[in-house]
Every structure is written in structure tokens, then in C-alpha cells.
Amino acid sequence: DKPAKTRTPMLSVVSEPKGAMVEINGVVYGKTPLIMPSPALNSLTLVLRADNPKAWTRQVVPDKTGHFSVNAKLEPQGL
């Protein structure tokens, strides 16, 4: 018998503007847009940092397919 095939949950992070630093559960993984295997299965803490000193922070849970998809609109730096 072959073991059941398990699908790796994927994480997709897009931001406006693009190029924001992506931090997941305290670890930096790169910049947006970012698509990668998810480092967590149930939930994760996502922090996006751009030129604006105010970070975008959310607790993210997977969708019904088990994947994480985030589309963030970051606030512009002071007007």
C-alpha cells in the first residue's frame, strides 16, 4: 500500500505597493509578491513592512482548501 499523498499548504502574499518585507511568525522570508510552502498549518502571524514605519500585521488562517492567501493594501507613508 502506498501512503496517502499529503498536499503541502501554500502561502501567497501580495501587497500594494509590492516589495514589502514578509515576516511570518517572527522569521523574514522575503519580499512581496511571495509564493512559498506555508511554514504553518493552522494559523500564522504575518507582518508586512514597507517604507511606512507602521507595519501591517494580521493573524492568518488557511482557506477551505488549506492554503493561505493574503492581499494587503499598505498605508502610504505620511502625506
Side-chain angles (χ1 to χ4, degrees):
D1 291 332
K2 291 183 180 180
K5 203 178 221 186
T6 57
R7 288 183 27 199
T8 301
M10 295 299 290
L11 169 67
S12 170
V13 183
V14 178
S15 71
E16 179 61 41
K18 65 183 178 182
M21 182 190 72
V22 178
E23 181 181 308
I24 303 164
N25 295 340
V27 178
V28 175
Y29 283 89
K31 293 187 176 188
T32 61
L34 179 70
I35 298 175
M36 60 177 272
S38 175
L41 299 176
N42 299 323
S43 71
L44 51 86
T45 300
L46 178 66
V47 178
L48 300 180
R49 298 180 196 278
D51 292 334
N52 184 345
K54 184 177 179 183
W56 186 95
T57 305
R58 299 287 188 279
Q59 191 72 25
V60 182
V61 295
D63 63 20
K64 63 183 178 183
T65 66
H67 300 291
F68 297 82
S69 181
V70 177
N71 191 347
K73 183 156 179 66
L74 307 178
E75 294 179 19
Q77 195 165 359
L79 299 172

